[in-house]
Amino acid sequence: MALDPITRKTLLDWFVDLETPEGLRAELIEGELLVTPVPDGHHEHCVSRVVGQMYRRTPTDMQFSGNKGLKLGSTEGCPQDHVIPDGTLVPKALRLFRGADPWMPCEGVAMVLEVTPRAGARIDREIKRRCYARGGVPLYLLVDRETAWTTLFSDPESGDYRERHAVAFGKPLALPEPLAFDLDTADFL
């Protein structure tokens, strides 16, 4: 739903000042407030497996931030998207996290990671995918626990990703530069 400019600004100002209760996190996506509970242990296990492999196997010195707020693009008539990926990966040389505001721009981000909840993965599969593409994030890695598939989205253009490479859990998934390694998905099962 398109909002007038005053309503967009009011909504954005209100959101930026919002204090989320403990155990919840809030995002502003395509003009809607999304409040979700803190992830469960299996979710965090999948995140930690990706991060561990990234630190051990990528030739590029990378940094990881869990739950880092990103300011992305917006859909027409909506305020700017404020999205919290499960993981944000950046080249260490860029020093993007040092001194960053709670909601940082996505310029320089190499990849974002989302691990779906057990059910209701539509937000990660569709809505966040479009947000990251609009923001120009080059790589979006989706670990989909509901379908038992891992998908790498790449080549963002016109509000979506043009390339998709998916493998069933248990199969390796090739990650391009700057990560440049085959992600082992066997332990996601």
Side-chain angles (χ1 to χ4, degrees), residues 1 3 10 12 20 23 28 32-33 35 40 47 49 53 59 65 69 77 88 96-97 124-126 133 143 148 157 171:
M1 165 177 42
L3 303 171
T10 302
L12 185 57
T20 309
L28 183 62
E32 294 187 27
L33 177 66
V35 179
D40 64 23
V47 170
R49 297 301 298 157
Q53 290 182 62
S65 178
T88 302
L96 294 178
F97 298 136
D124 291 335
R125 281 187 203 128
E126 299 173 24
V143 177
E157 185 178 291
K171 304 284 185 189

Short mmCIF file of all heavy atoms in Angstrom, two decimals, residues 1 3 10 12 20 23 28 32-33 35 40 47 49 53 59 65 69 77 88 96-97 124-126 133 143 148 157 171:
data_model
loop_
_atom_site.label_atom_id
_atom_site.label_comp_id
_atom_site.label_asym_id
_atom_site.label_seq_id
_atom_site.Cartn_x
_atom_site.Cartn_y
_atom_site.Cartn_z
N MET A 1 0.84 -1.17 0.00
CA MET A 1 0.00 0.00 0.00
C MET A 1 0.89 1.24 0.00
O MET A 1 1.77 1.38 0.83
CB MET A 1 -0.88 -0.02 1.26
CG MET A 1 -1.53 1.30 1.55
SD MET A 1 -2.65 1.35 2.95
CE MET A 1 -1.88 0.43 4.18
N LEU A 3 1.97 5.02 0.65
CA LEU A 3 1.70 5.98 1.71
C LEU A 3 2.10 7.36 1.24
O LEU A 3 3.06 7.51 0.47
CB LEU A 3 2.49 5.61 2.96
CG LEU A 3 2.27 4.21 3.54
CD1 LEU A 3 3.28 3.93 4.63
CD2 LEU A 3 0.86 4.06 4.05
N THR A 10 6.66 9.89 9.02
CA THR A 10 6.22 9.64 10.39
C THR A 10 6.47 8.18 10.78
O THR A 10 6.98 7.89 11.86
CB THR A 10 4.72 9.98 10.54
OG1 THR A 10 4.54 11.36 10.19
CG2 THR A 10 4.24 9.73 11.96
N LEU A 12 8.65 6.07 9.45
CA LEU A 12 10.08 5.83 9.54
C LEU A 12 10.66 6.41 10.83
O LEU A 12 11.43 5.75 11.53
CB LEU A 12 10.79 6.41 8.32
CG LEU A 12 12.29 6.13 8.23
CD1 LEU A 12 12.57 4.63 8.25
CD2 LEU A 12 12.86 6.76 6.97
N THR A 20 12.35 -2.23 20.95
CA THR A 20 11.73 -3.55 20.86
C THR A 20 11.89 -4.28 22.18
O THR A 20 12.98 -4.30 22.75
CB THR A 20 12.41 -4.35 19.73
OG1 THR A 20 12.41 -3.55 18.55
CG2 THR A 20 11.69 -5.64 19.46
N GLY A 23 13.62 -10.25 23.58
CA GLY A 23 13.13 -11.49 22.99
C GLY A 23 12.47 -11.30 21.64
O GLY A 23 12.06 -12.28 21.01
N LEU A 28 11.24 -2.99 9.41
CA LEU A 28 10.30 -2.25 8.59
C LEU A 28 10.54 -2.67 7.15
O LEU A 28 11.58 -2.35 6.56
CB LEU A 28 10.51 -0.74 8.75
CG LEU A 28 9.54 0.17 8.00
CD1 LEU A 28 8.10 -0.04 8.48
CD2 LEU A 28 9.94 1.62 8.17
N GLU A 32 5.62 -2.17 6.09
CA GLU A 32 4.95 -2.88 7.17
C GLU A 32 5.94 -3.18 8.29
O GLU A 32 7.09 -3.51 8.03
CB GLU A 32 4.34 -4.18 6.66
CG GLU A 32 3.22 -3.94 5.67
CD GLU A 32 2.50 -5.23 5.31
OE1 GLU A 32 2.48 -6.17 6.12
OE2 GLU A 32 1.96 -5.28 4.19
N LEU A 33 5.46 -3.10 9.52
CA LEU A 33 6.26 -3.44 10.69
C LEU A 33 6.18 -4.94 10.89
O LEU A 33 5.09 -5.51 10.95
CB LEU A 33 5.73 -2.72 11.93
CG LEU A 33 6.44 -3.05 13.24
CD1 LEU A 33 7.89 -2.57 13.20
CD2 LEU A 33 5.70 -2.42 14.42
N VAL A 35 7.47 -7.92 13.45
CA VAL A 35 8.05 -8.25 14.75
C VAL A 35 8.13 -9.76 14.85
O VAL A 35 7.12 -10.45 14.67
CB VAL A 35 7.22 -7.66 15.91
CG1 VAL A 35 7.84 -8.04 17.26
CG2 VAL A 35 7.11 -6.14 15.78
N ASP A 40 15.39 -19.93 17.25
CA ASP A 40 15.63 -21.11 18.06
C ASP A 40 17.05 -21.65 17.83
O ASP A 40 17.79 -21.15 16.98
CB ASP A 40 14.57 -22.19 17.79
CG ASP A 40 14.60 -22.73 16.36
OD1 ASP A 40 15.64 -22.62 15.68
OD2 ASP A 40 13.56 -23.25 15.92
N VAL A 47 23.25 -20.98 11.16
CA VAL A 47 24.03 -19.74 11.00
C VAL A 47 25.49 -20.00 11.37
O VAL A 47 26.41 -19.64 10.63
CB VAL A 47 23.44 -18.59 11.85
CG1 VAL A 47 24.38 -17.40 11.87
CG2 VAL A 47 22.07 -18.19 11.36
N ARG A 49 27.20 -22.74 11.35
CA ARG A 49 27.87 -23.61 10.38
C ARG A 49 28.35 -22.81 9.16
O ARG A 49 29.45 -23.02 8.67
CB ARG A 49 26.96 -24.75 9.93
CG ARG A 49 26.55 -25.70 11.04
CD ARG A 49 27.72 -26.36 11.73
NE ARG A 49 28.44 -27.17 10.77
CZ ARG A 49 29.70 -27.52 10.88
NH1 ARG A 49 30.40 -27.14 11.91
NH2 ARG A 49 30.29 -28.25 9.96
N GLN A 53 32.46 -22.08 8.43
CA GLN A 53 33.08 -22.42 7.15
C GLN A 53 33.66 -21.19 6.47
O GLN A 53 34.74 -21.24 5.87
CB GLN A 53 32.05 -23.08 6.23
CG GLN A 53 31.64 -24.47 6.67
CD GLN A 53 30.67 -25.09 5.70
OE1 GLN A 53 31.00 -25.29 4.54
NE2 GLN A 53 29.47 -25.39 6.18
N PRO A 59 39.23 -17.38 0.97
CA PRO A 59 40.55 -16.76 0.84
C PRO A 59 40.55 -15.28 1.20
O PRO A 59 41.60 -14.71 1.46
CB PRO A 59 40.88 -16.96 -0.64
CG PRO A 59 39.56 -17.08 -1.33
CD PRO A 59 38.63 -17.71 -0.32
N SER A 65 28.55 -10.20 10.99
CA SER A 65 27.74 -9.60 12.05
C SER A 65 26.38 -10.28 12.04
O SER A 65 25.73 -10.36 10.99
CB SER A 65 27.57 -8.09 11.82
OG SER A 65 26.74 -7.55 12.84
N GLY A 69 21.39 -4.35 11.56
CA GLY A 69 20.37 -3.61 10.82
C GLY A 69 20.92 -2.99 9.55
O GLY A 69 21.97 -2.35 9.57
N GLY A 77 6.20 4.33 -2.83
CA GLY A 77 5.19 4.77 -1.89
C GLY A 77 5.40 4.28 -0.47
O GLY A 77 4.55 4.48 0.39
N THR A 88 25.34 -10.82 8.17
CA THR A 88 25.86 -9.89 7.17
C THR A 88 27.36 -10.14 7.07
O THR A 88 28.05 -10.13 8.09
CB THR A 88 25.58 -8.43 7.58
OG1 THR A 88 24.17 -8.26 7.75
CG2 THR A 88 26.10 -7.45 6.55
N LEU A 96 33.49 -1.92 7.62
CA LEU A 96 32.14 -1.37 7.59
C LEU A 96 31.44 -1.39 8.94
O LEU A 96 30.59 -0.54 9.21
CB LEU A 96 31.28 -2.13 6.57
CG LEU A 96 31.69 -1.98 5.12
CD1 LEU A 96 30.78 -2.81 4.22
CD2 LEU A 96 31.63 -0.52 4.70
N PHE A 97 31.74 -2.35 9.79
CA PHE A 97 31.04 -2.45 11.07
C PHE A 97 31.58 -1.47 12.11
O PHE A 97 30.85 -1.01 12.98
CB PHE A 97 31.12 -3.87 11.63
CG PHE A 97 30.46 -4.90 10.75
CD1 PHE A 97 31.08 -6.11 10.50
CD2 PHE A 97 29.22 -4.68 10.17
CE1 PHE A 97 30.49 -7.08 9.70
CE2 PHE A 97 28.61 -5.62 9.37
CZ PHE A 97 29.25 -6.83 9.14
N ASP A 124 11.37 -14.64 4.20
CA ASP A 124 12.76 -14.81 3.77
C ASP A 124 12.85 -15.18 2.30
O ASP A 124 13.74 -14.72 1.60
CB ASP A 124 13.44 -15.90 4.61
CG ASP A 124 13.65 -15.48 6.06
OD1 ASP A 124 13.71 -14.27 6.33
OD2 ASP A 124 13.76 -16.36 6.92
N ARG A 125 11.96 -16.04 1.83
CA ARG A 125 12.01 -16.51 0.44
C ARG A 125 11.66 -15.42 -0.56
O ARG A 125 12.24 -15.38 -1.64
CB ARG A 125 11.01 -17.65 0.23
CG ARG A 125 11.46 -18.96 0.72
CD ARG A 125 10.46 -20.04 0.30
NE ARG A 125 10.58 -21.16 1.19
CZ ARG A 125 9.57 -21.72 1.82
NH1 ARG A 125 8.35 -21.28 1.66
NH2 ARG A 125 9.78 -22.75 2.61
N GLU A 126 10.70 -14.58 -0.25
CA GLU A 126 10.19 -13.62 -1.23
C GLU A 126 10.47 -12.17 -0.85
O GLU A 126 11.13 -11.45 -1.61
CB GLU A 126 8.68 -13.81 -1.39
CG GLU A 126 8.29 -15.18 -1.90
CD GLU A 126 6.79 -15.40 -1.89
OE1 GLU A 126 6.05 -14.41 -1.94
OE2 GLU A 126 6.36 -16.56 -1.82
N ALA A 133 17.80 -7.40 -2.99
CA ALA A 133 18.08 -7.09 -4.40
C ALA A 133 17.94 -5.59 -4.65
O ALA A 133 18.78 -4.99 -5.34
CB ALA A 133 17.15 -7.89 -5.32
N VAL A 143 19.10 -20.39 3.71
CA VAL A 143 19.05 -21.75 4.23
C VAL A 143 17.60 -21.99 4.63
O VAL A 143 17.12 -21.44 5.61
CB VAL A 143 20.01 -21.93 5.44
CG1 VAL A 143 19.90 -23.34 6.01
CG2 VAL A 143 21.45 -21.61 5.03
N ALA A 148 14.38 -27.90 3.18
CA ALA A 148 15.67 -28.59 3.25
C ALA A 148 16.52 -28.31 2.01
O ALA A 148 17.19 -29.19 1.47
CB ALA A 148 15.50 -30.09 3.49
N GLU A 157 19.03 -7.15 -9.94
CA GLU A 157 18.64 -6.19 -10.96
C GLU A 157 17.13 -5.99 -10.90
O GLU A 157 16.38 -6.96 -10.79
CB GLU A 157 19.05 -6.68 -12.35
CG GLU A 157 18.76 -5.65 -13.44
CD GLU A 157 19.22 -6.13 -14.81
OE1 GLU A 157 20.44 -6.23 -15.00
OE2 GLU A 157 18.35 -6.40 -15.65
N LYS A 171 24.22 -31.51 0.01
CA LYS A 171 25.01 -31.27 -1.21
C LYS A 171 25.81 -29.99 -1.03
O LYS A 171 25.35 -29.04 -0.39
CB LYS A 171 24.11 -31.12 -2.43
CG LYS A 171 23.18 -32.28 -2.67
CD LYS A 171 23.93 -33.44 -3.26
CE LYS A 171 22.92 -34.53 -3.60
NZ LYS A 171 23.56 -35.76 -3.96
#
